[in-house]
Amino acid sequence: MSSSQNNSAQNRLIWLIVAVIGAIAFGYVALNRGETINALWVLTAAICIYLIAYRFYSLYIADKVLKVDGTRMTPAFRHNDGLDYVPTNKVILFGHHFAAIAGAGPLVGPVLAAQMGYLPSMIWILVGVVLAGAVQDYMVLFVSTRRDGRSLGELVKSEMGTIPGVVALIACFMIMIIILAVLAMIVVKALTHSPWGTFTVAFTIPLAVLMGVYLRYIRPGKILEASLMGVAGLIFAILMGGHVAENPNWAHWFDLSGNTLTWALVIYGFIAAVLPVWLLLAPRDYLSTFLKIGAIVGLALGIIVLMPNMQMPAVTQYAFSGKGPVWAGSLFPFLFITIACGAVSGFHALISSGTTPKMLARETEARMIGYGGMLMESFVAMMALISASIIDPGVYFAMNSPIGSLNPTGLPDVALAASQTVSQWGFVITPETLNQIAADVGEKSIISRAGGAPTLAVGMAHIIHQALGGLGSMSFWYHFAILFEALFILTAVDAGTRAARFMLQDLLGLINPHLKKTQSLPANLLATGIVVASWGYFLYMGVNDPLGGINMLWPLFGITNQMLAAIALMLCTVVLFKMKRQKYAWVSILPTVWLVICTMYAGWLKVFSSDPAVGFFAKANQLKALLASGNFQPNAVFKSAQQVQQVIFNNQLDGVLMAGFMLVILAMIVFTVQACRKALATDKPTAHEIPYAPLPANADAIIKGAVH
C-alpha cells in the first residue's frame, strides 16, 4: 500500500472517529431526560459538528458549487494601493474578519434564547450556522471578490438591476441603524449605575488613542510593543475601576444613568466615525481581538476543567406557552429570530462585501475566512448559551425580566419582590442569593439587567473564577467579562457608524453628487450626524422604555438582520443561475426559503397579532384603550401618562418599520425570480465577473510585504 493510500485511510478513520464522538455527544444531550447534563457534552457535540461541516460541506461548496480558482487574481492584487486594497496573510485577515463580524449578537441572542431551554437553542445554533450563516458569509465573500470587492448594494445593482440595488441599499441602511441602536443599548444596560464598568470601558478610549499615536508616530510598525502596552492598560483599567468604584470622591463621576450614557455613546459614535481610522478604530480592533479570543478560549478551557452542569432545563415551559417574561412569543418563529448572529446574520454580508474582499490574497482562502470565521462566531454563541445555562435559573430570570414584571406592586425591597415573583414562576430563588451575587460581582444590584451582557458576565465570572481555583475575585472576572463584551460591542458601534455613513452618502449622492464624496468634510459631518441621530433616537427609545427596551428592539433587530441575510442569499442564488450553476443553487435557496418563512411569519405576528405581548399595534391599542378609559393610575411600570404615550408611539413606529421591511422582502423575491428566469433563458453565463487574470508570479513575496 502506498503512503498516499495510507494517509487517505488514516484521514477517513480520524473523521469517522470525530463523527462518532459528535453523534454520541449530540445524541446524549438531545435524548437525555430528567438528568442534569454536563456542559462538556454540549461543547464536544458542537466542536465535532463544526469540524465536520468545515471539512466536508464547505469543501463541497468550494469545489462543486463555486469552483474557486486559486490561480485567479483577486482585487487585493489588482488594485494594491496600500490603503483599502492590500493582499493580506490569511491568518491576519481571519483575525480582522472575525473581529469585524463578531459583535453583540452571538453574546446576547443565546442568553435571551435560554429562556426556552438550552436544547432548542443549541440545535438552531449548530444547524443554522452549518446550512445558512456560514454559507451566506462564504458565498457573499466569493461573489464580492469576483467583482472587485463591491458592497452588497452595488452587487445587487450590477446583477439584478438598478431598482433592486436602490431598494437593497435603503434596506441595508435602515437595518444597520436598528443594529447599531441595539448594540449601543446593550452597552448602556450593562453600564447603567456601574462606576467600575463605566470607568473601565471609558479608559479604553484614551488607551486606544495612545496606541494609535504610538504606532503611527513614535514606533511605526511595532505592533507587538503596542499590543503589550494595550494588554497592560486593560488589566490596569479593570483593577483601577474597582478602586474608583469604592472611592466616594470618584465613584459619582462614573455612576451614570441610562440617559447620560445614551448621550455619551452618541457623542462617542460621532467623534469615532469622523476621526482617522488609525487613531481610534484600528487600535480598538487590536484590543478587542485580544480580549475576544482570550476570553472565549479561557471560557472553553474553564468548561473543560470545571465541567459544570447545565442548570437551565433542556426545554422550559415557555417553549410551549409563548408567554416568557424575558421576551414573548412562540418557539417558532421567535427562537430563530432571537438567536441571530450565532446562527445567521445579515450584518456579516456587509463585512463580507466590504473590507474583507479587498484584502483577500487568494480565492481559495475565502473558505477559511468566510465559512471558518462564521463557525468561530457560532462557537462564541455556544459559549454564551452554556454560560447562561450553568447559572441558577432563578438568577437568570431575575436578571433578564423587566422590572415591571418582577416588581409589579412597586415594593421598596426590589430583591424581595423579584425573588417572590420568580419563585412563583417555578424557579425558586431567595432575596439573600440575589443580594449575595450582586455583592460578589461588585454591583449594587443584578436585578432586571436586561440585554444579556450582565448574565453572560456572571456565568463567565463563575466559570473562570472556579476553574482558576479562586484566583482573582468574582468581581474582577465579572468586570473583565463586562469589559470584554463592551469592547466587543463598541468596536461594532464605531465601525458600524462609519459603514452606515458610507451607505448614507451613496444614497444622498442620488440627490446631490457632491454629498457622495467621502473626502468632503461637510458631506462627511452631515452624513455622520444623520446616522448617529437616527440610531441615537432608537437607543433613547429603548433605554427609556418602561417595559425593558430589549423586549421591543431585539425582535426588530433579529427579524431585520435575518431579512438582510435573506437578501444576500437571494443575490447568491441569482449569481449561481447567471454562472450556469443552477443545479447547485439549492445550497443558497434552502437557507433563503427558511429565512423568508421565519422572518415573514415573525414580522406578520409583530404587525398583525392581537396579543399585546407579541404585536406592536396590539400593544399600542391596549395602552390607548387604557388612557381613553380614564382608569390609568401611575404604577411601578408606568410612572406617568406621558410614559404610556411614549410606548404607544414607539410600538406604532416599530410596527410601521416592520411592515416596510416585509414589503422590501416581497419585492426582492419578485426581483430574484425575474433575474433567475432571465438567466435560464440564455445559453451562456451572464454573471458580471471581472475577467480572469492570473496571480502575479511573486504573489507570496507581496503578501509577506517583501515587495509592493
Side-chain angles (χ1 to χ4, degrees):
M1 193 182 280
S2 68
S3 63
S4 63
Q5 285 174 317
N6 263 332
N7 287 340
S8 176
Q10 281 175 355
N11 271 338
R12 284 175 188 165
L13 182 63
I14 289 166
W15 285 110
L16 182 64
I17 293 167
V18 170
V20 169
I21 293 170
I24 292 169
F26 193 82
Y28 185 76
V29 174
L31 302 174
N32 204 297
R33 292 289 174 271
E35 192 182 320
T36 53
I37 293 277
N38 195 296
L40 198 56
W41 286 105
V42 177
L43 191 63
T44 304
I47 290 171
C48 290
I49 287 168
Y50 293 144
L51 289 171
I52 290 165
Y54 183 75
R55 169 61 181 82
F56 295 100
Y57 193 49
S58 73
L59 195 62
Y60 171 80
I61 295 171
D63 289 351
K64 301 287 186 192
V65 181
L66 302 176
K67 279 202 175 298
V68 297
D69 185 351
T71 68
R72 193 184 184 106
M73 186 182 283
T74 57
F77 283 108
R78 193 176 295 108
H79 303 288
N80 190 0
D81 59 5
L83 185 67
D84 295 319
Y85 293 87
V86 181
T88 306
N89 176 284
K90 63 183 179 183
V91 177
I92 294 169
L93 187 56
F94 180 91
H96 161 82
H97 185 76
F98 176 66
I101 63 170
L107 300 174
V108 177
V111 173
L112 296 175
Q115 167 181 269
M116 298 253 173
Y118 64 80
L119 186 58
S121 306
M122 173 192 171
I123 293 170
W124 171 235
I125 289 171
L126 293 174
V127 175
V129 73
V130 170
L131 296 177
V135 172
Q136 176 214 229
D137 288 28
Y138 181 21
M139 290 183 77
V140 170
L141 180 56
F142 169 83
V143 170
S144 183
T145 302
R146 287 260 171 121
R147 287 153 185 80
D148 258 356
R150 288 183 183 171
S151 65
L152 186 63
E154 290 175 316
L155 293 172
V156 174
K157 201 171 170 182
S158 74
E159 296 296 340
M160 296 170 69
T162 304
I163 295 171
V166 173
V167 169
L169 197 59
I170 293 169
C172 289
F173 176 72
M174 287 300 301
I175 291 166
M176 182 67 104
I177 293 297
I178 292 162
I179 290 170
L180 291 171
V182 171
L183 296 180
M185 189 172 75
I186 290 157
V187 176
V188 170
K189 291 283 184 184
L191 300 182
T192 300
H193 297 301
S194 173
W196 190 335
T198 304
F199 173 84
T200 303
V201 172
F203 189 86
T204 63
I205 297 169
L207 178 62
V209 170
L210 179 64
M211 284 173 68
V213 171
Y214 188 88
L215 281 169
R216 191 162 178 96
Y217 296 115
I218 301 170
R219 298 274 286 171
K222 302 290 182 183
I223 293 170
L224 182 63
E225 291 176 18
S227 302
L228 290 171
M229 184 171 73
V231 171
L234 288 177
I235 294 166
F236 172 79
I238 300 170
L239 294 170
M240 195 66 194
H243 294 299
V244 166
E246 289 167 7
N247 188 319
N249 296 324
W250 282 98
H252 73 277
W253 289 102
F254 297 96
D255 189 347
L256 304 178
S257 68
N259 282 344
T260 309
L261 283 164
T262 297
W263 279 106
L265 272 181
V266 166
I267 294 163
Y268 165 77
F270 182 87
I271 294 168
V274 296
L275 283 178
V277 175
W278 61 266
L279 188 59
L280 184 60
L281 287 195
R284 279 292 286 270
D285 257 352
Y286 289 135
L287 292 175
S288 181
T289 303
F290 281 131
L291 271 180
K292 282 174 187 177
I293 294 170
I296 293 302
V297 170
L299 194 53
L301 291 172
I303 290 165
I304 292 167
V305 171
L306 201 60
M307 295 195 292
N309 286 328
M310 306 288 270
Q311 294 203 52
M312 185 67 77
V315 184
T316 68
Q317 67 262 37
Y318 303 121
F320 309 105
S321 71
K323 302 288 184 188
V326 179
W327 49 274
S330 52
L331 190 145
F332 177 80
F334 289 108
L335 176 85
F336 306 98
I337 300 307
T338 303
I339 298 177
C341 309
V344 57
S345 168
F347 175 70
H348 299 180
L350 304 179
I351 307 297
S352 288
S353 64
T355 53
T356 308
K358 296 179 178 70
M359 299 161 77
L360 189 72
R362 289 182 176 87
E363 263 188 21
T364 46
E365 293 168 3
R367 174 176 163 237
M368 169 187 159
I369 291 152
Y371 201 96
M374 181 58 201
L375 289 181
M376 186 71 183
E377 174 154 357
S378 182
F379 183 64
V380 172
M382 194 58 72
M383 294 291 101
L385 178 66
I386 292 172
S387 296
S389 303
I390 61 139
I391 64 174
D392 188 306
V395 174
Y396 169 87
F397 283 104
M399 289 189 74
N400 288 284
S401 304
I403 194 69
S405 304
L406 295 168
N407 189 8
T409 55
L411 286 177
D413 190 340
V414 180
L416 178 65
S419 63
Q420 287 174 347
T421 304
V422 173
S423 297
Q424 284 170 4
W425 295 341
F427 305 99
V428 178
I429 194 76
T430 64
E432 290 76 23
T433 304
L434 293 174
N435 289 327
Q436 186 57 53
I437 290 172
D440 287 345
V441 299
E443 294 287 353
K444 292 174 186 173
S445 170
I446 57 154
I447 293 161
S448 193
R449 300 296 292 271
T455 309
L456 177 55
V458 167
M460 281 180 70
H462 174 76
I463 291 170
I464 295 172
H465 177 68
Q466 284 195 294
L468 292 175
L471 181 68
S473 63
M474 274 279 287
S475 56
F476 175 85
W477 291 115
Y478 173 85
H479 286 95
F480 169 80
I482 288 288
L483 176 64
F484 151 74
E485 292 174 291
L487 268 186
F488 228 110
I489 297 162
L490 280 180
T491 307
V493 169
D494 44 31
T497 302
R498 191 178 282 266
R501 186 243 294 172
F502 292 140
M503 283 185 214
L504 182 60
Q505 285 192 257
D506 279 344
L507 284 169
L508 291 173
L510 298 171
I511 304 164
N512 184 337
H514 181 72
L515 295 173
K516 195 173 180 176
K517 294 177 181 174
T518 53
Q519 63 272 31
S520 164
L521 187 61
N524 200 327
L525 293 174
L526 173 69
T528 305
I530 294 171
V531 168
V532 294
S534 303
W535 67 252
Y537 171 75
F538 283 100
L539 170 60
Y540 181 83
M541 186 170 105
V543 167
N544 288 285
D545 186 323
L547 303 174
I550 199 78
N551 310 43
M552 182 179 64
L553 281 179
W554 192 265
L556 196 63
F557 161 77
I559 295 168
T560 54
N561 188 27
Q562 293 193 32
M563 280 179 168
L564 184 56
I567 292 171
L569 284 162
M570 286 181 208
L571 165 72
C572 295
T573 303
V574 169
V575 168
L576 287 176
F577 271 79
K578 294 179 81 170
M579 288 172 76
K580 292 296 173 189
R581 307 200 62 74
Q582 60 266 22
K583 73 173 180 180
Y584 298 108
W586 64 267
V587 169
S588 57
I589 291 171
L590 184 72
T592 306
V593 170
W594 173 254
L595 289 174
V596 167
I597 291 169
C598 272
T599 55
M600 291 300 280
Y601 184 39
W604 179 269
L605 290 173
K606 294 303 285 184
V607 174
F608 296 106
S609 174
S610 57
D611 182 355
V614 175
F616 288 131
F617 291 116
K619 186 70 188 177
N621 293 337
Q622 183 197 43
L623 295 174
K624 274 184 184 174
L626 175 66
L627 290 181
S629 69
N631 296 329
F632 171 74
Q633 294 291 327
N635 53 50
V637 180
F638 296 106
K639 306 262 186 321
S640 66
Q642 190 183 356
Q643 278 196 336
V644 181
Q645 290 283 10
Q646 186 62 43
V647 173
I648 290 170
F649 177 77
N650 293 350
N651 276 282
Q652 287 174 331
L653 179 63
D654 286 354
V656 169
L657 283 171
M658 194 74 264
F661 286 126
M662 287 170 73
L663 290 173
V664 166
I665 290 296
L666 290 172
M668 291 304 298
I669 292 169
V670 172
F671 294 140
T672 301
V673 171
Q674 284 176 341
C676 291
R677 286 182 66 184
K678 194 175 173 183
L680 282 172
T682 59
D683 298 329
K684 295 177 182 175
T686 52
H688 294 130
E689 294 181 352
I690 302 292
Y692 175 89
L695 276 173
N698 59 346
D700 288 330
I702 295 171
I703 295 166
K704 287 175 184 171
V707 293
H708 296 286

